[in-house]
Amino acid sequence: MAWVSSGRLGTGKEDLWLVVGAKLQIQVHGGKRLLTPSAGNNHVLNSSTPRQKEDESTELQVSNSRLREIESIQAAQKSENERLKKVCGDLEEKHEAAELQIKQLSIEYRNQLQQKEVEVSHLKARQNALQEQLQKLQTAAQAAQLGIVPPTTTSASFVPVVRHHSSGFQGDDMDFGDVIWSQQEINRLSNEVSRLESEVDHWKQIAQSSKVQRTNDDEQSEICKLQNTIKELKQNLSQEIDEHQHELSVLQDAHRQKLVELSRRHREELGEYEERIEELENQLQQGGAGAEVTDHSKIGELKKFIQNLQTGKAESMHNMKELEGHIKELNQKLASAEERNNILLKEQELVKVEKSQITQEYERLNSEFSKLQNSVAEQETILKEQGGKFQPVSSPVEEEVLRLQQALLDAEKEILRLNSLKQADSFIGAEDFPEVKTDIQVLKEENHKLRKEKHMITLKEQLSKQRTETDSTINQLKLGIDMERRKVSELEVEKMEMIKELGVQKEKLTQCTFALNDLHMSKQELEDNIKGLHEKLKKAQACNLNKKEIAELQQKLKEKEEELSVSQNKLTKINNQEYNISCQEKEAEIVKLNQDIAENKQLNKILEKSVFDLQAQNENLFADCEELKRQLHEAITEKNKISLEKGTMLEALTMEKGQLESELNQTEKRLLEQAHKYERTIEELTNTRSLNTTALQLEHEHLIKVNQERDFEIAELKRNIEQMEADHQETKEMLTTSLGGQKQLTELIKEKEVFVEKFKNQAMQVQRELEEYIKASKKHETVRQNLEEKDRNLAVMKEENNHLKEEIERLKDQQSRSSVVAEPKTLDIITELESEITQLKLIKNNLEEEIKFHKKTIEDQHQKTVQLQQSLQEHRKEIDESKFQCEQMSVTHEKLFLEKDEEIKSLQRTIEQIKTQLHNERQVIQTDSSDLFQETKVQTLNGENGNEKHDLSKAEIERLVKGMREKEMEIKHLNEKNVSLTRQIDRLSKDEVGKLTQIIQERDLEIQALNARVSSASYRQDVLCLQQQLQAYVMEREQVLAVLSEKTRENSQLKAEYHKIMDMVAAKEAALIKLQEENKKLSNKFENSSQDMFRETVQNLSRIIREKDIEIDALSQKCQTLLTVLQTSSAGTDNGSGGVNSNQFEELLQERDQLKQQVKKMEEWKQQVMTTVQNMQHESAHLQEELHKLQAQISVDSDSNSKLQLDYNGLIQSYEQNERKLKSFSQELVQVQHSIGQLHNTKDLLLGKLDMVKPPLQMASSSVLQASGIPSGTPSEILSDHCKQLQQELEQVKKIVQEKDATIRTLQENNQRLSDSMAAKSELERKGQEETDSEMKQIRGKHDVLQKSLKEKDLLIKSKSDQLLSVSENLSNKENENELLKQAVTNLKERNLILEMDIRKLKEENEKIVERCRERETEFRALQETNMQFSMMLREKEFESHSMKEKALAFEKLLKEKEQGKTGELNQLLNEVKSMQENAVTFQQERDQVMVALKQKQMENSALQNEVQHLREKEQRLNQELERLRNHLLEMEDSYTREALAAEDRETKLRKKVTVLEEKLVSSSTAVENASHQASLQVESLQEQLNLVSKQRDETMLQLTISQDQVKQYAMSLANLQMVLEQFQQEEKAMYAAELDKHQKQITEWKRKAERLEEKVESLQESLEEANAALDAASRLTEQLDLKEEQIEELKKEGEIRKEMLEDAQNKLMNLINSTEGKVDKVLMRNLFIGHFHTPKNKRHEALRLMGSILGIKKEELDQLLSEEQRGVTRWVTGWLGGGGAGSKSVPTTPLRPAHQSIFNSSFSELFVKFLETESRPTLPPPTLSVHDMKPLGVSGIGKPSSATSSSQMQDAAGAGTSRRPDANPFLAPRSAAVPLITPAGGPGHLLMKPISDALPTFTPLPVSPDASAGAVLKDLLKQ
């Protein structure tokens, strides 16, 4: 209000000064009017009355007397004006003082209101805090004292009373508004008084001028009357001023009274609040006893108070409505609380029923307890009698104990349930607490009784072992109770947190309301912006001449308004919806928060899983949607570009049309001027012809003919112009037709957009359906999980049922054994179990039904998902089809654009030809430049149309092409016509120039002839005379011209003043608009007060406009008076000198008209300059638009580049992921190879161990043979002595040999079994190896495919990187081009800076206004800060008082507690209390002082209100007086008119008297002398006036020359401007051409690049698909590898089992070897012995050698034995039998029998070979594997066994270790590796003992180093 009132002060001052200025102007004009009628009267007297000189002398005397009277009146008026100025100044000072007082009072009033609001909010906060304390105390009392009855709360009874504004007054706001309105009325009345005074003065002057012709006596009497009236008016004015002052004082008194009343009411309200606080404190102290009644009474009082408050301000009403809404919400909460109460009551009744049941159970337990006591007594007697028979009796006691424990648990559960009920009650209020607590006490008593009983039972069951168990259960129960108590406390904490959350949500609500207010503010600002746009549009309408453009702008504005309204509606709807939704949600959350916490946790877990799936699907869908949006956006941008380009085309055409019209007008004007010049020359020639020359006549006739020819030519030109106009209209029609076509195209585009939107909607629907199905599927998954859990529970329950059944059977057995007392209990248990079983069955049935239902729903959902997938595929197909169509359309468009580009190039060539032809002439160049500019724009159109979305059909494209061709043909026609017109004009101009030169030459000849004539003496005198006359004429003409120039200068000044006034009016209108906007903003803040201010400003502005109109009228009157003065002066000069003719005056008037035409031409030039400037502005705007378009294109390109970069990054990431996977695969391969190598090593180790087992056996056998051979050689003589002993020993040996044969057979059978099992295992391993080989082949094939795909991807990535580099280079080129464009734009901006200077000035003015507003806002903020400081001080004091009261209460409590025997502490406390009371008294005194000040302010307010009332009454009086004065003025005017008529009658009479007096005066010469003297004086005065007029004429001449110079300067500047424009246009053309070429090249390059990129993208997609397939294959491979690893692990396990088997077999073999070491094979020895005798005698030595070699005898020893053969057989037999004790373990399975030896002549060696061949035949051929079939990944299987292996090989294996092992085949193990069959003892070079393994194929295993990289491993694999 402060700055508003100051603004009003300012306006008031301006109004007063404007009124004073108006008065002065009117006085001045009045003075001039007084002058003008006298002059007019003089003129009339001079013209109408041709009388004698005496009449003239008398009239001069009369005029002198009149002049003197007028001077005296002027002096009186000046004095009066000065006095009135002083009065005005005093009034202004008083007005300012009054307004300052009102300002201060309003500020104080506002501060008081704010303080009251702050106090009310503090009181509310205090009240809420007290209520919360009450509730907390009640809850604490309930928690602490369960036995005491809790006090009743006042939460439900007391509703907080809302007192937002403690104004109290009904019409406070209206009274303040009335004060302001009265002040405005006072200002208005003062203005009206001043206006009326000025009118009175004006009428006085008129009356005086009319009364001049009366006699002096009458005039003096009238003057006296007028002076009396003036004095009366002055007295009235002074009385009115006094009354105004009195009314002001009355208003101040009323304002004071109002302030006093307000302070009184505020004090009353404060007292009521203090009483309320004291009552609440008393309630707190008393424990809230009987609070409900007082609360209800208080509620009634508060409701009354609310009703009183409702009659307050409009703002407080709004706040009250909001608070009523809050009260309704509280009522709803109360209703819900009441409903909860009812529910609790029902639950209480249920609790009572349960209590009765518990009592019944208690009685039953008592009876059972008594029975138990009896049974215990009996059992004790039995125990005393039978000490050993305790065990069968203890079982019923145990059962009873268990049952009692169950009863205890049930009771405790009920207690817990009651606790939960208690918690529920605590949410609402403690109304039902006493009953619940009594129930709890009863239950606790029962619990105590039960515990006592339990103690009794434990005491009586000391003999049993279950006492410890009962104690543990009691402890557990106690812990459970403690846990429950903790849970209760936690729930209370949660409740408090919920309350806090409620508060937070309320704060959020308030924030939402603030946000809503902000939105409303922003909406209002938008509306203000719209209004500003409206005003700008109005100005633009005034400026613009094209009505069509204005209509289009209006349509656009309407559309924007509609959009704004829609957005506003949406905003309001959204705000309302958000507000409603937030309210509803918060209410629902308050109710359901406790219930939903647990559910939300579970749901969150489920939702998180579902959200991840949804996000994946949504991302795909969003990607598709974004592509569609992008396409749409591109289509829209291209459409906008097309529309903008069409608009620019139209504007360019309209501009060119305007230029053509202006040029045609200029040509017409020039032709007319030339015609006028020719006419003047003709007139001069006619004047010269009057000098009777015949030659001149002929020339004159020739000139007339020439003129006629020119007229004909002009007519032809006019016809051409008409034809041009017709052509122009035709072009217009063609443009309209093209516009129609464009509209059709736009409609088609709209249809396409609608189609796209439909697709979008369909996609959105599909998305929604998908989301719904996903949600449903998730629900079903959760249902499935629940079902599975329920199934598990069912299984558990079934198991429990089975256990229970078993227990029931056991119990039945116990019942049969136990006594009769236990039977009813077991029956009860059985019934309970049966009931449970039935319930479980029901649950099971329900679950089965649910499962069926869910299965059905799942099947339905599967069907729906299938349908959705089908629909999605269809949509994708449609999208692909649409893309294909778009591509086709793009191809066709590109063809069309190429054709159009060729046509444009041809047009450019033609334009260049036209340029060369019309280079010399400026106008034609301008037209051509405009055409060129248009065509370049067409090029830009054609170039940019390539980017548009190709949605049009072929037919539409053909139509467009036809329309474009027609337009181009029309343009060509127009260009041809222009060329023809320019040529005609060239010809005409050349012809005219030639003719004019001829005429000038002829005239020169004539002048020479005339000079020759004039040179004669006879003509010289005439020439001198003529020269003098000419000089006189020239002087007169110059005088007339000077007068005319003065008139023109005055006219121009008047025009300038008029323009200035119009500008001022426009500025005032703008200021008015700004003030309206500010007033609207202020009206939002101060609704009622600002309307009056706005009215006042409007009135002031209207007054200003009226005064300006009055000034304009006065100026026009001044002009008219000056014209009359001129006429009179010219008449005077005619009379004086008898000089200038009327013809000359007419010529001067004609010259004035010509000058006016020149002025008009200059104005037209000015308009043309303005149009060129506007064109420049338009062109700059177009350039800016094109720049924006280019920036948009660049942004689109950058977006596409960023997308490509993202794709590239994604590919790189995928490639890196693939590489990582490959590395992992290679590592896995390495691991697998390592495992294979380890397996090989283990196998080698096993084989080595087996070989190690064999050689010691051989060595042992050979040593035995050697040991046996040595004694055989030495004691040959002893053998002959002991033949008998040998025979006995032989018999023994035979027996032993037979036994050994039996053992060997058993061993052979075992060996055969082992060999069969090993063969089966080897077959299995071979099959597994074949499978692994096949799998390895597949893996290799897949690996090759993967490597190929990887290589392809590498190539693609390289190509992509190259593309990226090229794209980056292109981008850099684009950026360089953009920099060039930016430089061009900066140049344009520098050119536009000139235009922006005016805008800056306006902005500076706006900034000044804004700074003023800011200053006022800072003042307002400072006031607010002071208010806040005061409120903070008040709050601090209130808090201090509150704390003091709390301390006092605490001290009182301490006093009550420590009254007994603690007097010293009491005294200290009393002293402290006294000091506190003193502080409280001081605070109360300060508060009283503040209240007194408030009351004083209220009194002042009431006094001000009284003053306002007085002012209103005074205004009414003033209005009445105004009406009376108006009536009086009307009467005065009537009287004046009557007096004027009477004066005219008197004048006629006086004239008659004057004639009589003139006849008398003829005789007297003295009168004539006086008259002549007066006449001379008058002549002198007239001469002085003439001098002044001549000075003015000289000044006007100077001004004319200055104006002509200015005109020349303007013309020069215009020419410079045109030159600059032409240069600029040429530069622009060159720039545009270069840029167009660049852009076209870039567009073609970009198209090519886009096509390449699309191809590359397609290839990338294909490669991606291949990569995905490869990845799938790799995943499959990994799965297969996992399977193989599992198989390997299984085989390892089997290998370990086999190892164990082998170790067992080896152990057994070792045992066998140990057992059979020193023994000989009987069968072998028998065969050898028989074989020796069967051999022929010639070859027996060979058989013996063979036997020796087998038995390990050396060659030397054999030779000795053979040499000693001659001695006898006994030595050989004994020697041989002596070594028979040791033999080889291994024996052939099929020994040679005599039946096989058909031919006895064959040698022993041949037979032995045959034996070995038969023995070495394998059951299955060994597997032959090639190197290509070998794979590194297989399990090393054991091959088929071979019959014989060389001893050398065995020795190598044993001795050398692994050095020779890799040369052997890993898959073909010899039979000896498994079971050693034969140990041949031949030499290393023997034929039979050669190594067989050399003939077999050998394999080298793949060695893999663990350090080798994955890539190297893959390469090695691929090479292999």
Side-chain angles (χ1 to χ4, degrees), residues 114 356 427 457-458 503 536 569 580 648 751 912 1114 1159 1216 1247 1448 1480 1649 1707 1729 1829 1901:
Q114 284 177 354
S356 63
F427 279 102
I457 288 154
T458 50
K536 284 177 185 174
N569 292 323
N580 294 323
T648 51
E751 285 173 1
E912 283 168 359
V1159 167
E1216 285 171 356
L1247 291 165
K1649 284 170 189 173
N1707 290 323
F1729 188 74
D1829 294 330

Side-chain angles (χ1 to χ4, degrees), residues 1168-1330:
Q1168 285 177 1
V1169 170
M1170 289 290 284
T1171 52
T1172 51
V1173 169
Q1174 285 174 358
N1175 292 330
M1176 291 282 283
Q1177 284 178 348
H1178 282 299
E1179 284 170 0
S1180 64
H1182 290 314
L1183 285 165
Q1184 282 179 348
E1185 284 172 358
E1186 284 173 358
L1187 238 177
H1188 286 306
K1189 286 176 189 173
L1190 285 165
Q1191 285 173 352
Q1193 281 182 355
I1194 289 153
S1195 65
V1196 169
D1197 292 333
S1198 64
D1199 290 330
S1200 63
N1201 283 323
S1202 62
K1203 283 175 185 173
L1204 282 166
Q1205 280 179 348
L1206 287 165
D1207 294 332
Y1208 179 65
N1209 290 324
L1211 285 165
I1212 288 160
Q1213 286 173 1
S1214 63
Y1215 178 67
E1216 285 171 356
Q1217 286 173 0
N1218 289 328
E1219 277 186 343
R1220 285 171 197 160
K1221 284 177 184 176
L1222 259 173
K1223 282 175 184 175
S1224 63
F1225 283 140
S1226 63
Q1227 286 169 3
E1228 284 170 2
L1229 253 172
V1230 169
Q1231 287 172 3
V1232 170
Q1233 285 174 352
H1234 274 298
S1235 62
I1236 290 157
Q1238 285 171 1
L1239 285 166
H1240 281 300
N1241 291 325
T1242 49
K1243 188 188 129 190
D1244 294 331
L1245 284 165
L1246 285 166
L1247 291 165
K1249 280 178 184 176
L1250 288 167
D1251 294 333
M1252 286 290 284
V1253 169
K1254 285 165 196 172
L1257 291 171
Q1258 292 168 5
M1259 291 295 285
S1261 62
S1262 62
S1263 65
V1264 167
L1265 287 164
Q1266 283 169 6
S1268 62
I1270 290 158
S1272 66
T1274 54
S1276 59
E1277 294 171 357
I1278 295 157
L1279 282 165
S1280 62
D1281 294 329
H1282 298 288
C1283 286
K1284 288 177 184 179
Q1285 287 177 1
L1286 283 165
Q1287 283 174 354
Q1288 287 172 4
E1289 282 172 1
L1290 261 173
E1291 286 170 359
Q1292 286 173 2
V1293 164
K1294 279 177 185 178
K1295 287 174 186 177
I1296 290 158
V1297 164
Q1298 285 171 2
E1299 287 170 1
K1300 295 282 168 163
D1301 286 330
T1303 52
I1304 284 156
R1305 280 170 192 166
T1306 55
L1307 284 166
Q1308 279 174 354
E1309 285 169 2
N1310 288 323
N1311 280 325
Q1312 278 178 354
R1313 284 176 193 167
L1314 282 165
S1315 63
D1316 292 332
S1317 65
M1318 290 301 281
K1321 280 178 185 176
S1322 64
E1323 282 176 0
L1324 283 165
E1325 284 168 355
R1326 188 174 56 75
K1327 286 175 184 174
Q1329 199 173 4
E1330 284 172 359

Side-chain angles (χ1 to χ4, degrees), residues 134-148:
L134 258 174
Q135 287 177 356
K136 282 177 186 174
L137 282 165
Q138 284 173 1
T139 52
Q142 286 162 14
Q145 298 175 352
L146 289 160
I148 297 158

Side-chain angles (χ1 to χ4, degrees), residues 1553-1586:
K1553 286 177 184 177
V1554 163
T1555 52
V1556 174
L1557 285 163
E1558 278 172 355
E1559 287 171 0
K1560 288 178 182 177
L1561 277 163
V1562 170
S1563 59
S1564 62
S1565 62
T1566 56
V1568 172
E1569 284 172 359
N1570 291 322
S1572 64
H1573 183 68
Q1574 285 175 357
S1576 64
L1577 286 166
Q1578 211 170 24
V1579 165
E1580 284 171 0
S1581 65
L1582 285 164
Q1583 280 176 352
E1584 285 170 1
Q1585 285 176 357
L1586 266 168

Side-chain angles (χ1 to χ4, degrees), residues 122 1432 1434-1444:
H122 282 311
M1432 288 297 286
L1434 273 165
R1435 280 180 191 170
E1436 286 170 2
K1437 283 178 182 176
E1438 278 181 356
F1439 280 121
E1440 283 172 2
S1441 64
H1442 188 65
S1443 63
M1444 294 301 284

